[in-house]
Amino acid sequence: MDTLRFLTLCLCIFVPFVYGQVQPSKPTAEPVSQVCLGCICEASSNCNTTLKCDGEVCGPFRITRAYWIDSGKPTFNNESPSTGEAFANCVNDVFCAAQAVQGYMAKYGQDCNGDGKIDCDDYARIHRHGGFGCFAPLDPAYETPYKQCTATFG
């Protein structure tokens, strides 16, 4: 193939991606399964459902107020999200906190580990490092129980 034909071919393939005419395929997100939620909970606190607020983190998933807000502010027993207790009441309840995790993953779900899919491994990273920091490696205190859980139940 001569150089001119090669350059023309490259431009025909490359230029549409640069200018948005052809979109590369985005990985399809798996839903956050019950097993995944359980393993994230396990990694976060041994899924200790008796944990309440300790500093800025609350409940068995160790959720912050900013995380809860980003998740869509789910509430426990249809409480108004504007009440002063709505955040703590939700994230200290394992079921409402799981709804918060679902909402957060719906907003920030992405392929954090570069394997071409959005799955529980990505959700675990997003939960630990946030929607913009999920490319960072997991610390052993979180990763070890998470991996043990997914190996057992996943």
Side-chain angles (χ1 to χ4, degrees):
M1 178 180 285
D2 67 14
T3 305
L4 182 57
R5 282 190 346 177
F6 177 74
L7 289 174
T8 302
L9 178 62
C10 287
L11 287 173
C12 289
I13 294 170
F14 180 70
V15 170
F17 281 101
V18 173
Y19 293 101
Q21 295 171 357
V22 176
Q23 298 296 320
S25 62
K26 180 182 177 188
T28 303
E30 292 181 8
V32 186
S33 69
Q34 295 300 313
V35 169
C36 182
L37 287 167
C39 289
I40 290 171
C41 188
E42 190 66 27
S44 298
S45 72
N46 276 344
C47 215
N48 184 343
T49 59
T50 65
L51 287 177
K52 300 300 178 198
C53 293
D54 180 23
E56 293 187 12
V57 297
C58 297
F61 285 94
R62 313 312 289 150
I63 292 174
T64 65
R65 181 175 295 276
Y67 184 113
W68 175 74
I69 290 168
D70 281 350
S71 77
K73 298 182 185 177
T75 60
F76 181 70
N77 285 338
N78 296 316
E79 179 178 15
S80 169
S82 62
T83 68
E85 300 82 28
F87 159 69
N89 288 344
C90 176
V91 299
N92 287 324
D93 174 77
V94 71
F95 299 106
C96 191
Q99 285 182 312
V101 174
Q102 292 276 15
Y104 195 84
M105 297 312 151
K107 182 173 184 173
Y108 291 108
Q110 60 189 296
D111 182 12
C112 301
N113 59 8
D115 65 359
K117 59 187 176 190
I118 302 170
D119 60 13
C120 193
D121 290 342
D122 301 301
Y123 298 140
R125 286 171 175 250
I126 294 164
H127 184 73
R128 187 64 165 184
H129 294 303
F132 299 111
C134 73
F135 298 99
L138 293 172
D139 56 284
Y142 181 88
E143 182 176 37
T144 300
Y146 168 75
K147 293 279 187 186
Q148 289 173 341
C149 181
T150 58
T152 304
F153 301 104

